[in-house]
Amino acid sequence: MNRIRKGDQVIIIAGADKGKKGEVVRVAGDKVVVQNVNIIKRHTKPNPQANVAGGIIEREAPIHVSNVMLFNQASGKGERIGFKVLEDGRKVRVFRSSNEAVDA
């Protein structure tokens, strides 16, 4: 079970975009892609067969999962994540500071 999942609200804790918040768009191994964070420019050749226009394209680049923290709406800051097994056998993510479940 991953600590960070697609759709989570995260805050960047290291790098050029430190302090920015965004939603996780994609998780691939130990990297995450966060919406409107870590924007890079790619010079792309046109490809008429794939219907791709050429030019300079801006898109999000992946960030290592260690550089993001799950954002807690209640406290208004990023917090660490732990795991807890409930009585019914389900494993859920919890905030370490408040022991409050992330997943409903």
Side-chain angles (χ1 to χ4, degrees):
M1 179 179 264
N2 291 336
R3 295 180 195 282
I4 306 290
R5 294 184 192 163
K6 179 180 175 181
D8 284 345
Q9 199 71 16
V10 295
I11 188 164
I12 311 301
I13 59 170
D17 292 318
K18 181 177 179 176
K20 289 187 180 178
K21 285 182 264 188
E23 185 178 327
V24 175
V25 178
R26 190 172 66 241
V27 178
D30 60 352
K31 304 254 184 182
V32 293
V33 176
V34 181
Q35 190 174 14
N36 296 326
V37 175
N38 200 21
I39 301 293
I40 58 168
K41 293 186 177 192
R42 280 281 174 252
H43 294 258
T44 308
K45 279 188 174 181
N47 186 351
Q49 293 173 338
N51 203 16
V52 174
I56 301 172
I57 298 171
E58 288 189 348
R59 64 184 181 101
E60 297 102 354
I63 304 173
H64 197 270
V65 74
S66 67
N67 294 331
V68 300
M69 258 186 156
L70 200 60
F71 186 72
N72 188 351
Q73 297 287 349
S75 68
K77 54 186 176 181
E79 294 192 11
R80 295 189 301 165
I81 297 297
F83 295 99
K84 183 196 265 188
V85 179
L86 299 178
E87 298 82 28
D88 60 357
R90 289 187 302 136
K91 186 177 179 183
V92 294
R93 299 180 297 166
V94 294
F95 288 113
R96 290 236 182 113
S97 63
S98 60
N99 222 14
E100 169 190 339
V102 176
D103 313 313

